[in-house]
Amino acid sequence: MSADTPTTEFRVGDIVCLRANPSVKAAIIQVIPSSPENRYLLFVEGKTGAYYASQLLAERVETTALSVLPLQEFKARLTALQIQQPSLSSLYSLHAARVNFVPYQFRPVLKFIRSDRPRLLIADEVGVGKTIEAGLILRELQSRRDIGSVLIICPKPLVTERKWQSEMKRFDESFDHLDGAKLRHCIRETDLDGVWPDKSAKCILPFSLFDERMLHGDERRSRKRQLGLLELDPPPKFDLVIVDEAHHLRNSNTFAHKGVKFFTENAEAVVFLSATPIQLQSDDLFVLLNLLRPDLIIDRQSFQHMAEPNPHINRAVEGARRAEADWQQVAHEDLVSAGETAWGQSLLKGNSAYIRICCQLSETTMSHQERLAFIREAENLHTFANLINRTRRRDIGNFTTRKSESVGVEFTPSQRTLHDALLAAQSRILSRTHDPRTIKFLLTTLRRQAASCI
Protein backbone atom coordinates (compact mmCIF):
# COMPACT_ATOMS: atom_id res chain seq x y z
CA MET A 1 0.00 0.00 0.00
CA SER A 2 1.43 3.36 -0.99
CA ALA A 3 1.82 6.24 1.41
CA ASP A 4 -0.88 8.18 -0.48
CA THR A 5 -3.57 5.54 0.08
CA PRO A 6 -6.00 6.75 2.76
CA THR A 7 -6.82 4.57 5.75
CA THR A 8 -10.48 3.70 6.38
CA GLU A 9 -11.36 4.81 9.89
CA PHE A 10 -14.94 3.50 9.71
CA ARG A 11 -16.80 0.68 7.98
CA VAL A 12 -20.21 0.33 6.32
CA GLY A 13 -22.80 -0.19 9.02
CA ASP A 14 -20.92 1.73 11.75
CA ILE A 15 -22.89 4.29 13.75
CA VAL A 16 -21.08 7.63 14.02
CA CYS A 17 -21.74 11.11 15.41
CA LEU A 18 -21.22 14.45 13.72
CA ARG A 19 -18.25 16.27 15.25
CA ALA A 20 -20.10 19.58 14.86
CA ASN A 21 -23.11 18.19 16.74
CA PRO A 22 -22.39 14.93 18.63
CA SER A 23 -26.08 14.48 19.47
CA VAL A 24 -26.77 13.69 15.80
CA LYS A 25 -26.11 10.02 15.02
CA ALA A 26 -25.95 8.47 11.55
CA ALA A 27 -25.28 5.15 9.84
CA ILE A 28 -22.48 4.75 7.30
CA ILE A 29 -23.86 3.28 4.08
CA GLN A 30 -20.85 3.71 1.77
CA VAL A 31 -17.11 4.36 2.03
CA ILE A 32 -15.72 6.72 -0.62
CA PRO A 33 -11.90 6.37 -0.73
CA SER A 34 -10.23 9.70 -1.38
CA SER A 35 -7.13 11.69 -0.53
CA PRO A 36 -5.94 13.09 1.84
CA GLU A 37 -8.84 11.58 3.86
CA ASN A 38 -11.76 9.29 3.12
CA ARG A 39 -15.32 10.44 2.67
CA TYR A 40 -18.38 8.57 3.95
CA LEU A 41 -21.97 8.50 2.69
CA LEU A 42 -24.25 8.71 5.73
CA PHE A 43 -27.97 8.25 6.29
CA VAL A 44 -28.61 11.03 8.77
CA GLU A 45 -31.99 12.43 9.85
CA GLY A 46 -33.78 10.83 6.92
CA LYS A 47 -31.36 12.08 4.25
CA THR A 48 -28.09 10.97 2.71
CA GLY A 49 -24.98 13.13 2.72
CA ALA A 50 -21.21 12.81 2.26
CA TYR A 51 -18.82 13.72 5.09
CA TYR A 52 -15.02 13.64 5.54
CA ALA A 53 -13.53 11.43 8.24
CA SER A 54 -12.43 14.51 10.18
CA GLN A 55 -16.09 15.57 10.47
CA LEU A 56 -17.10 12.34 12.23
CA LEU A 57 -16.72 10.79 15.65
CA ALA A 58 -17.11 7.15 16.62
CA GLU A 59 -20.26 6.49 18.62
CA ARG A 60 -19.46 6.55 22.30
CA VAL A 61 -20.84 3.49 24.08
CA GLU A 62 -21.37 4.17 27.74
CA THR A 63 -20.97 1.29 30.14
CA THR A 64 -22.80 1.10 33.43
CA ALA A 65 -21.75 -0.72 36.52
CA LEU A 66 -23.46 -4.07 37.07
CA SER A 67 -25.28 -4.82 40.30
CA VAL A 68 -26.31 -8.15 41.76
CA LEU A 69 -29.99 -8.49 42.69
CA PRO A 70 -31.60 -11.03 45.00
CA LEU A 71 -33.72 -13.55 43.09
CA GLN A 72 -37.04 -12.26 44.45
CA GLU A 73 -36.26 -8.66 43.49
CA PHE A 74 -35.16 -9.76 40.01
CA LYS A 75 -38.47 -11.61 39.51
CA ALA A 76 -40.39 -8.59 40.81
CA ARG A 77 -38.67 -6.31 38.28
CA LEU A 78 -39.46 -8.70 35.41
CA THR A 79 -43.11 -8.82 36.48
CA ALA A 80 -43.28 -5.02 36.65
CA LEU A 81 -41.81 -4.71 33.15
CA GLN A 82 -44.34 -7.19 31.76
CA ILE A 83 -47.24 -5.30 33.35
CA GLN A 84 -45.98 -1.94 32.06
CA GLN A 85 -45.28 -3.26 28.56
CA PRO A 86 -47.82 -5.88 27.42
CA SER A 87 -46.50 -8.79 25.42
CA LEU A 88 -46.00 -8.25 21.69
CA SER A 89 -46.62 -11.92 20.90
CA SER A 90 -50.00 -12.35 22.61
CA LEU A 91 -53.38 -11.00 21.51
CA TYR A 92 -55.61 -10.01 24.42
CA SER A 93 -58.71 -9.49 22.26
CA LEU A 94 -58.69 -12.77 20.34
CA HIS A 95 -62.38 -13.55 20.99
CA ALA A 96 -63.61 -10.06 21.85
CA ALA A 97 -65.77 -9.53 18.73
CA ARG A 98 -68.64 -11.22 16.93
CA VAL A 99 -66.52 -12.32 13.97
CA ASN A 100 -65.33 -15.71 12.80
CA PHE A 101 -61.74 -16.62 13.64
CA VAL A 102 -59.85 -16.21 10.36
CA PRO A 103 -56.08 -16.41 11.05
CA TYR A 104 -54.82 -14.10 8.27
CA GLN A 105 -57.06 -11.26 9.52
CA PHE A 106 -54.95 -11.09 12.70
CA ARG A 107 -51.72 -10.42 10.78
CA PRO A 108 -52.27 -6.62 10.69
CA VAL A 109 -52.97 -6.59 14.46
CA LEU A 110 -49.70 -8.37 15.24
CA LYS A 111 -47.75 -6.11 12.88
CA PHE A 112 -49.42 -3.05 14.39
CA ILE A 113 -48.58 -3.83 18.03
CA ARG A 114 -44.99 -4.79 17.13
CA SER A 115 -44.35 -1.59 15.18
CA ASP A 116 -42.06 1.08 16.62
CA ARG A 117 -44.94 3.53 16.16
CA PRO A 118 -48.65 2.57 15.95
CA ARG A 119 -49.22 3.40 12.29
CA LEU A 120 -50.05 0.93 9.52
CA LEU A 121 -51.26 0.85 5.92
CA ILE A 122 -53.50 -2.20 5.35
CA ALA A 123 -53.24 -2.77 1.61
CA ASP A 124 -55.13 -6.07 1.32
CA GLU A 125 -56.93 -6.96 -1.90
CA VAL A 126 -60.69 -6.40 -2.29
CA GLY A 127 -62.79 -8.89 -0.33
CA VAL A 128 -60.13 -9.89 2.19
CA GLY A 129 -61.79 -8.04 5.10
CA LYS A 130 -59.94 -4.78 5.78
CA THR A 131 -62.83 -3.36 7.83
CA ILE A 132 -62.75 -6.35 10.19
CA GLU A 133 -58.96 -6.05 10.47
CA ALA A 134 -59.33 -2.40 11.49
CA GLY A 135 -61.93 -3.41 14.08
CA LEU A 136 -59.60 -6.06 15.48
CA ILE A 137 -56.87 -3.43 15.85
CA LEU A 138 -59.33 -1.21 17.74
CA ARG A 139 -60.28 -4.08 20.05
CA GLU A 140 -56.62 -4.97 20.73
CA LEU A 141 -55.75 -1.36 21.56
CA GLN A 142 -58.72 -1.21 23.93
CA SER A 143 -57.46 -4.33 25.74
CA ARG A 144 -54.03 -2.76 26.24
CA ARG A 145 -54.92 0.80 27.24
CA ASP A 146 -57.77 3.28 27.48
CA ILE A 147 -59.13 4.20 24.03
CA GLY A 148 -61.73 6.92 24.44
CA SER A 149 -61.80 8.66 21.05
CA VAL A 150 -61.87 7.09 17.58
CA LEU A 151 -62.31 8.89 14.25
CA ILE A 152 -63.18 7.07 11.02
CA ILE A 153 -62.70 9.05 7.79
CA CYS A 154 -64.10 7.56 4.58
CA PRO A 155 -65.81 8.42 1.26
CA LYS A 156 -69.38 9.72 1.53
CA PRO A 157 -71.05 6.66 -0.10
CA LEU A 158 -69.77 4.51 2.78
CA VAL A 159 -71.38 6.97 5.21
CA THR A 160 -74.67 6.96 3.28
CA GLU A 161 -74.73 3.15 3.17
CA ARG A 162 -73.90 3.09 6.92
CA LYS A 163 -71.20 0.51 6.20
CA TRP A 164 -68.87 1.48 9.04
CA GLN A 165 -71.70 1.86 11.55
CA SER A 166 -72.95 -1.66 10.87
CA GLU A 167 -69.46 -3.18 10.78
CA MET A 168 -68.49 -1.62 14.11
CA LYS A 169 -71.58 -3.13 15.76
CA ARG A 170 -69.78 -6.48 15.43
CA PHE A 171 -67.34 -5.05 17.96
CA ASP A 172 -70.10 -3.56 20.14
CA GLU A 173 -69.09 -0.04 19.13
CA SER A 174 -71.53 2.77 18.37
CA PHE A 175 -70.35 5.58 16.06
CA ASP A 176 -71.97 8.91 15.25
CA HIS A 177 -72.13 10.14 11.66
CA LEU A 178 -70.94 13.75 11.33
CA ASP A 179 -72.60 16.04 8.79
CA GLY A 180 -71.65 19.65 8.15
CA ALA A 181 -73.68 21.04 11.06
CA LYS A 182 -72.35 18.48 13.56
CA LEU A 183 -68.75 19.06 12.46
CA ARG A 184 -69.24 22.84 12.87
CA HIS A 185 -70.56 22.17 16.38
CA CYS A 186 -67.52 20.02 17.21
CA ILE A 187 -65.18 22.76 15.99
CA ARG A 188 -66.93 25.39 18.15
CA GLU A 189 -66.91 23.15 21.22
CA THR A 190 -63.24 22.29 20.74
CA ASP A 191 -62.41 26.00 20.43
CA LEU A 192 -64.32 26.78 23.66
CA ASP A 193 -63.31 23.78 25.80
CA GLY A 194 -59.94 22.86 24.29
CA VAL A 195 -61.04 19.25 23.69
CA TRP A 196 -63.24 17.43 21.18
CA PRO A 197 -66.80 16.98 22.58
CA ASP A 198 -67.42 13.64 24.31
CA LYS A 199 -70.70 13.14 22.45
CA SER A 200 -68.74 12.79 19.20
CA ALA A 201 -65.72 10.99 20.66
CA LYS A 202 -66.43 8.08 18.31
CA CYS A 203 -67.51 9.46 14.97
CA ILE A 204 -67.47 8.88 11.21
CA LEU A 205 -66.49 11.74 8.92
CA PRO A 206 -66.78 11.78 5.10
CA PHE A 207 -64.00 13.20 2.90
CA SER A 208 -66.55 15.52 1.27
CA LEU A 209 -66.78 17.73 4.38
CA PHE A 210 -63.17 18.82 3.93
CA ASP A 211 -63.59 21.99 1.87
CA GLU A 212 -62.04 25.44 2.03
CA ARG A 213 -64.61 26.92 4.42
CA MET A 214 -64.51 23.95 6.81
CA LEU A 215 -60.71 23.90 6.92
CA HIS A 216 -59.91 27.63 6.87
CA GLY A 217 -63.04 29.26 8.27
CA ASP A 218 -66.11 31.00 6.87
CA GLU A 219 -67.03 34.70 7.07
CA ARG A 220 -69.89 34.78 4.59
CA ARG A 221 -72.78 33.18 6.46
CA SER A 222 -72.91 35.48 9.47
CA ARG A 223 -71.30 38.56 10.91
CA LYS A 224 -69.33 36.47 13.36
CA ARG A 225 -66.53 34.56 11.68
CA GLN A 226 -66.76 30.76 11.86
CA LEU A 227 -63.51 29.12 12.88
CA GLY A 228 -61.83 26.63 10.54
CA LEU A 229 -60.72 23.14 11.52
CA LEU A 230 -57.05 23.89 10.83
CA GLU A 231 -57.20 26.94 13.11
CA LEU A 232 -58.01 24.96 16.27
CA ASP A 233 -55.38 25.44 18.97
CA PRO A 234 -54.87 23.05 20.61
CA PRO A 235 -55.92 20.61 17.86
CA PRO A 236 -58.19 17.65 18.67
CA LYS A 237 -56.26 14.52 19.63
CA PHE A 238 -57.84 11.17 18.81
CA ASP A 239 -56.58 7.90 20.27
CA LEU A 240 -57.14 6.16 16.91
CA VAL A 241 -57.80 7.50 13.41
CA ILE A 242 -58.94 5.04 10.69
CA VAL A 243 -58.89 6.26 7.08
CA ASP A 244 -60.74 4.06 4.57
CA GLU A 245 -59.93 4.12 0.83
CA ALA A 246 -56.81 6.12 1.63
CA HIS A 247 -55.69 6.07 -2.04
CA HIS A 248 -58.04 9.06 -2.52
CA LEU A 249 -55.41 11.09 -0.63
CA ARG A 250 -52.58 10.54 -3.12
CA ASN A 251 -52.88 14.15 -4.33
CA SER A 252 -51.33 16.27 -1.57
CA ASN A 253 -52.93 19.48 -2.90
CA THR A 254 -56.54 18.45 -2.14
CA PHE A 255 -58.58 19.59 0.85
CA ALA A 256 -59.19 15.94 1.77
CA HIS A 257 -55.43 15.36 2.08
CA LYS A 258 -55.00 18.47 4.23
CA GLY A 259 -57.90 17.52 6.48
CA VAL A 260 -56.69 13.96 7.02
CA LYS A 261 -53.15 15.21 7.63
CA PHE A 262 -54.44 17.52 10.36
CA PHE A 263 -56.09 14.65 12.25
CA THR A 264 -53.32 12.08 11.72
CA GLU A 265 -50.56 14.46 12.84
CA ASN A 266 -52.28 14.78 16.21
CA ALA A 267 -53.44 11.16 16.62
CA GLU A 268 -51.91 8.55 18.88
CA ALA A 269 -52.49 5.67 16.41
CA VAL A 270 -53.40 5.67 12.70
CA VAL A 271 -54.62 2.96 10.31
CA PHE A 272 -54.96 3.51 6.56
CA LEU A 273 -57.05 1.09 4.47
CA SER A 274 -56.70 0.76 0.71
CA ALA A 275 -56.98 -2.05 -1.83
CA THR A 276 -54.76 -0.43 -4.47
CA PRO A 277 -51.67 1.41 -3.10
CA ILE A 278 -49.13 -1.22 -4.13
CA GLN A 279 -50.34 -0.89 -7.72
CA LEU A 280 -50.04 2.89 -7.73
CA GLN A 281 -47.03 4.77 -9.04
CA SER A 282 -44.13 5.18 -6.64
CA ASP A 283 -44.89 8.87 -6.23
CA ASP A 284 -48.43 8.04 -5.05
CA LEU A 285 -47.10 5.50 -2.57
CA PHE A 286 -44.63 8.09 -1.30
CA VAL A 287 -47.46 10.56 -0.62
CA LEU A 288 -49.41 7.95 1.36
CA LEU A 289 -46.44 6.79 3.43
CA ASN A 290 -45.27 10.37 3.98
CA LEU A 291 -48.76 11.18 5.31
CA LEU A 292 -48.70 8.09 7.53
CA ARG A 293 -45.10 8.30 8.79
CA PRO A 294 -43.61 11.75 8.04
CA ASP A 295 -40.97 11.07 10.69
CA LEU A 296 -39.63 8.14 8.65
CA ILE A 297 -40.57 8.98 5.03
CA ILE A 298 -39.30 12.55 5.14
CA ASP A 299 -38.93 13.45 1.46
CA ARG A 300 -38.82 11.85 -1.98
CA GLN A 301 -35.05 11.46 -1.88
CA SER A 302 -35.11 9.41 1.33
CA PHE A 303 -38.10 7.40 0.03
CA GLN A 304 -36.31 6.52 -3.20
CA HIS A 305 -33.16 5.61 -1.29
CA MET A 306 -35.10 3.30 1.04
CA ALA A 307 -37.05 1.75 -1.86
CA GLU A 308 -33.97 0.73 -3.90
CA PRO A 309 -33.89 -2.94 -2.79
CA ASN A 310 -37.65 -3.48 -3.15
CA PRO A 311 -37.88 -4.21 -6.93
CA HIS A 312 -35.24 -6.94 -6.53
CA ILE A 313 -37.03 -8.42 -3.51
CA ASN A 314 -40.38 -8.31 -5.33
CA ARG A 315 -38.92 -10.18 -8.31
CA ALA A 316 -37.51 -12.85 -5.99
CA VAL A 317 -40.91 -13.29 -4.33
CA GLU A 318 -42.79 -13.42 -7.63
CA GLY A 319 -40.33 -15.99 -8.96
CA ALA A 320 -40.91 -18.13 -5.86
CA ARG A 321 -44.67 -17.85 -6.37
CA ARG A 322 -44.40 -19.10 -9.96
CA ALA A 323 -42.03 -21.88 -8.82
CA GLU A 324 -40.44 -22.44 -12.22
CA ALA A 325 -37.58 -24.93 -12.54
CA ASP A 326 -34.76 -22.45 -11.85
CA TRP A 327 -36.62 -20.21 -9.40
CA GLN A 328 -34.11 -20.67 -6.58
CA GLN A 329 -31.16 -19.53 -8.69
CA VAL A 330 -33.09 -16.53 -10.05
CA ALA A 331 -34.38 -15.58 -6.58
CA HIS A 332 -30.85 -15.81 -5.16
CA GLU A 333 -29.53 -13.47 -7.87
CA ASP A 334 -32.34 -11.00 -7.16
CA LEU A 335 -31.65 -10.99 -3.42
CA VAL A 336 -27.93 -10.52 -4.04
CA SER A 337 -28.81 -7.51 -6.25
CA ALA A 338 -31.00 -6.14 -3.43
CA GLY A 339 -28.03 -6.42 -1.07
CA GLU A 340 -25.79 -4.51 -3.48
CA THR A 341 -27.92 -1.36 -3.33
CA ALA A 342 -26.79 1.41 -0.97
CA TRP A 343 -29.64 0.70 1.44
CA GLY A 344 -29.07 -3.05 1.12
CA GLN A 345 -25.37 -2.75 1.97
CA SER A 346 -26.12 -0.81 5.15
CA LEU A 347 -29.11 -2.78 6.44
CA LEU A 348 -29.72 -6.00 4.49
CA LYS A 349 -26.25 -7.54 4.45
CA GLY A 350 -26.11 -7.57 8.23
CA ASN A 351 -29.63 -8.96 8.56
CA SER A 352 -29.55 -12.55 9.86
CA ALA A 353 -32.77 -13.49 8.02
CA TYR A 354 -31.36 -12.18 4.73
CA ILE A 355 -28.10 -14.10 5.17
CA ARG A 356 -29.91 -17.31 6.10
CA ILE A 357 -32.39 -17.38 3.19
CA CYS A 358 -29.63 -16.47 0.70
CA CYS A 359 -27.63 -19.47 1.95
CA GLN A 360 -30.72 -21.67 1.83
CA LEU A 361 -31.43 -20.68 -1.79
CA SER A 362 -27.91 -21.51 -2.93
CA GLU A 363 -27.21 -24.64 -0.90
CA THR A 364 -30.41 -26.74 -0.69
CA THR A 365 -33.36 -27.72 -2.83
CA MET A 366 -36.45 -26.35 -1.13
CA SER A 367 -39.64 -28.31 -0.55
CA HIS A 368 -43.08 -26.82 -1.15
CA GLN A 369 -43.43 -25.80 2.52
CA GLU A 370 -39.93 -24.30 2.56
CA ARG A 371 -40.77 -22.29 -0.56
CA LEU A 372 -43.87 -20.84 1.13
CA ALA A 373 -41.81 -20.00 4.21
CA PHE A 374 -39.23 -18.31 1.97
CA ILE A 375 -41.95 -16.13 0.41
CA ARG A 376 -43.09 -14.93 3.85
CA GLU A 377 -39.55 -14.22 5.02
CA ALA A 378 -38.53 -12.49 1.79
CA GLU A 379 -41.60 -10.23 1.94
CA ASN A 380 -40.52 -9.20 5.45
CA LEU A 381 -37.24 -7.93 3.95
CA HIS A 382 -39.20 -5.32 2.02
CA THR A 383 -38.11 -1.85 3.14
CA PHE A 384 -41.66 -0.85 4.05
CA ALA A 385 -42.72 -4.23 5.49
CA ASN A 386 -43.25 -2.71 8.94
CA LEU A 387 -45.51 -0.01 7.45
CA ILE A 388 -47.64 -2.05 5.04
CA ASN A 389 -49.72 -5.22 5.44
CA ARG A 390 -50.50 -6.86 2.10
CA THR A 391 -52.72 -9.95 1.90
CA ARG A 392 -53.64 -11.35 -1.50
CA ARG A 393 -56.65 -13.54 -2.15
CA ARG A 394 -54.51 -16.08 -3.98
CA ASP A 395 -52.48 -16.56 -0.78
CA ILE A 396 -55.48 -17.54 1.34
CA GLY A 397 -57.19 -20.05 -0.94
CA ASN A 398 -60.89 -20.03 -1.79
CA PHE A 399 -62.04 -18.33 1.39
CA THR A 400 -62.79 -15.01 -0.33
CA THR A 401 -63.81 -16.36 -3.74
CA ARG A 402 -67.14 -14.86 -4.75
CA LYS A 403 -69.60 -17.37 -6.17
CA SER A 404 -72.38 -15.89 -8.31
CA GLU A 405 -75.75 -17.57 -8.66
CA SER A 406 -78.61 -16.65 -11.00
CA VAL A 407 -82.08 -16.76 -9.46
CA GLY A 408 -85.07 -16.62 -11.80
CA VAL A 409 -88.08 -14.60 -10.60
CA GLU A 410 -91.33 -14.71 -12.56
CA PHE A 411 -93.23 -11.48 -13.29
CA THR A 412 -96.67 -10.99 -11.79
CA PRO A 413 -99.40 -10.60 -14.46
CA SER A 414 -99.45 -6.79 -14.06
CA GLN A 415 -95.63 -6.60 -14.25
CA ARG A 416 -95.61 -8.73 -17.40
CA THR A 417 -98.27 -6.48 -19.01
CA LEU A 418 -96.27 -3.34 -18.24
CA HIS A 419 -92.98 -4.92 -19.43
CA ASP A 420 -94.43 -6.06 -22.76
CA ALA A 421 -96.33 -2.82 -23.40
CA LEU A 422 -93.18 -0.73 -22.72
CA LEU A 423 -91.04 -2.72 -25.15
CA ALA A 424 -93.80 -2.78 -27.79
CA ALA A 425 -94.24 1.00 -27.61
CA GLN A 426 -90.48 1.63 -27.90
CA SER A 427 -90.26 -0.85 -30.79
CA ARG A 428 -92.97 1.03 -32.73
CA ILE A 429 -91.15 4.34 -32.17
CA LEU A 430 -87.81 2.93 -33.35
CA SER A 431 -89.34 1.24 -36.41
CA ARG A 432 -90.16 4.64 -37.90
CA THR A 433 -86.50 5.73 -38.07
CA HIS A 434 -84.45 2.49 -38.06
CA ASP A 435 -84.08 -0.71 -40.03
CA PRO A 436 -86.35 -3.41 -38.49
CA ARG A 437 -83.36 -5.75 -38.32
CA THR A 438 -81.59 -3.48 -35.77
CA ILE A 439 -84.54 -2.85 -33.46
CA LYS A 440 -83.84 -5.83 -31.17
CA PHE A 441 -80.27 -4.62 -30.70
CA LEU A 442 -81.43 -1.06 -29.96
CA LEU A 443 -83.86 -2.38 -27.34
CA THR A 444 -81.10 -4.21 -25.41
CA THR A 445 -80.53 -1.51 -22.78
CA LEU A 446 -84.22 -0.86 -22.23
CA ARG A 447 -84.90 -4.60 -21.98
CA ARG A 448 -82.28 -4.92 -19.23
CA GLN A 449 -83.67 -1.94 -17.33
CA ALA A 450 -87.23 -3.19 -17.55
CA ALA A 451 -86.24 -6.69 -16.45
CA SER A 452 -84.13 -5.54 -13.47
CA CYS A 453 -86.41 -2.79 -12.07
CA ILE A 454 -89.94 -2.81 -13.38
Side-chain angles (χ1 to χ4, degrees):
M1 183 183 297
S2 67
D4 295 332
T5 303
T7 302
T8 302
E9 294 87 348
F10 306 106
R11 296 179 299 176
V12 171
D14 285 352
I15 303 298
V16 296
C17 304
L18 301 186
R19 188 179 294 273
N21 186 1
S23 64
V24 177
K25 296 182 180 180
I28 295 178
I29 59 178
Q30 185 180 352
V31 179
I32 308 172
S34 57
S35 181
E37 58 179 323
N38 290 326
R39 289 193 304 154
Y40 300 91
L41 190 64
L42 306 185
F43 187 73
V44 51
E45 296 183 338
K47 300 179 181 180
T48 57
Y51 294 81
Y52 286 102
S54 59
Q55 295 177 288
L56 307 176
L57 295 171
E59 182 186 25
R60 183 174 299 175
V61 180
E62 297 182 0
T63 57
T64 55
L66 298 178
S67 59
V68 179
L69 295 177
L71 180 59
Q72 289 302 110
E73 185 177 348
F74 177 68
K75 288 181 177 179
R77 291 196 181 189
L78 288 180
T79 303
L81 286 173
Q82 189 169 14
I83 293 173
Q84 289 177 342
Q85 301 178 357
S87 170
L88 299 182
S89 59
S90 301
L91 293 177
Y92 301 122
S93 60
L94 194 59
H95 303 291
R98 294 194 298 273
V99 296
N100 295 329
F101 175 73
V102 183
Y104 76 83
Q105 290 183 336
F106 287 87
R107 286 178 56 192
V109 189
L110 289 169
K111 184 171 287 191
F112 189 83
I113 63 177
R114 292 169 181 169
S115 175
D116 63 317
R117 192 178 179 197
R119 276 163 159 71
L120 183 68
L121 168 60
I122 300 178
D124 297 350
E125 289 185 348
V126 175
V128 171
K130 293 183 289 297
T131 308
I132 292 176
E133 292 171 341
L136 292 173
I137 289 176
L138 169 59
R139 265 290 176 260
E140 186 64 25
L141 287 177
Q142 288 173 329
S143 1
R144 291 168 176 265
R145 52 190 173 87
D146 183 30
I147 299 293
S149 56
V150 182
L151 173 64
I152 298 173
I153 308 175
C154 62
K156 189 174 182 178
L158 300 184
V159 177
T160 306
E161 296 167 5
R162 310 180 78 83
K163 174 192 172 185
W164 274 97
Q165 265 193 337
S166 59
E167 287 289 344
M168 288 298 102
K169 287 181 180 178
R170 298 188 185 198
F171 302 91
D172 299 317
E173 295 289 344
S174 178
F175 279 78
D176 182 31
H177 279 156
L178 294 186
D179 55 19
K182 287 183 178 180
L183 181 56
R184 279 283 177 208
H185 171 74
C186 289
I187 293 174
R188 286 195 299 270
E189 291 296 307
T190 305
D191 182 43
L192 292 174
D193 301 334
V195 292
W196 195 263
D198 289 339
K199 186 178 179 181
S200 299
K202 293 181 179 178
C203 56
I204 302 172
L205 180 64
F207 289 130
S208 57
L209 287 185
F210 294 129
D211 57 23
E212 185 174 7
R213 287 182 295 176
M214 194 66 75
L215 295 183
H216 300 289
D218 183 11
E219 296 177 340
R220 292 180 289 178
R221 293 189 176 181
S222 63
R223 291 183 180 179
K224 186 177 180 181
R225 185 179 187 277
Q226 291 184 322
L227 197 68
L229 185 64
L230 303 187
E231 298 173 306
L232 290 176
D233 187 19
K237 297 182 184 296
F238 282 87
D239 296 320
L240 174 64
V241 172
I242 300 171
V243 182
D244 197 3
E245 297 197 18
H247 49 274
H248 291 302
L249 307 173
R250 58 184 180 265
N251 184 350
S252 58
N253 295 320
T254 61
F255 291 122
H257 184 280
K258 294 174 182 177
V260 170
K261 182 179 180 180
F262 173 75
F263 282 112
T264 56
E265 281 182 341
N266 300 290
E268 179 66 25
V270 180
V271 177
F272 282 2
L273 309 178
S274 179
T276 57
I278 304 302
Q279 300 170 359
L280 298 176
Q281 298 176 1
S282 294
D283 189 63
D284 295 334
L285 184 58
F286 159 73
V287 173
L288 283 181
L289 294 183
N290 174 256
L291 183 60
L292 185 67
R293 288 292 303 268
D295 58 318
L296 184 62
I297 313 298
I298 299 173
D299 52 29
R300 282 178 171 81
Q301 182 182 359
S302 60
F303 170 80
Q304 292 168 356
H305 181 66
M306 294 174 67
E308 277 186 308
N310 294 339
H312 305 290
I313 296 172
N314 291 339
R315 282 197 296 270
V317 170
E318 288 303 314
R321 290 183 189 279
R322 292 193 299 270
E324 296 176 353
D326 60 343
W327 77 266
Q328 284 191 219
Q329 178 184 348
V330 175
H332 183 266
E333 293 172 356
D334 286 326
L335 289 186
V336 169
S337 298
E340 294 301 324
T341 62
W343 186 266
Q345 287 180 356
S346 61
L347 294 177
L348 274 184
K349 284 195 170 180
N351 186 312
S352 59
Y354 172 81
I355 296 171
R356 181 172 52 77
I357 62 178
C358 282
C359 293
Q360 188 180 14
L361 284 171
S362 60
E363 296 175 359
T364 62
T365 301
M366 290 189 185
S367 64
H368 174 69
Q369 293 300 325
E370 289 173 330
R371 180 175 62 84
L372 295 180
F374 163 78
I375 292 174
R376 290 193 297 270
E377 292 186 72
E379 285 181 331
N380 287 334
L381 296 177
H382 196 282
T383 306
F384 307 119
N386 62 325
L387 300 180
I388 302 175
N389 183 84
R390 179 68 166 166
T391 301
R392 299 171 177 82
R393 284 186 289 179
R394 63 184 178 185
D395 294 337
I396 55 179
N398 296 324
F399 176 77
T400 60
T401 302
R402 296 182 179 181
K403 300 177 178 64
S404 61
E405 181 181 354
S406 298
V407 179
V409 180
E410 292 295 330
F411 281 142
T412 63
S414 58
Q415 288 175 335
R416 170 61 67 183
T417 299
L418 176 59
H419 174 274
D420 293 346
L422 177 65
L423 293 179
Q426 186 63 23
S427 178
R428 288 195 301 271
I429 294 171
L430 293 173
S431 65
R432 296 188 178 186
T433 55
H434 294 79
D435 189 318
R437 290 173 296 182
T438 65
I439 291 178
K440 288 185 178 181
F441 173 74
L442 295 173
L443 287 173
T444 301
T445 300
L446 180 62
R447 195 185 302 274
R448 289 177 180 171
Q449 293 172 335
S452 65
C453 184
I454 194 64

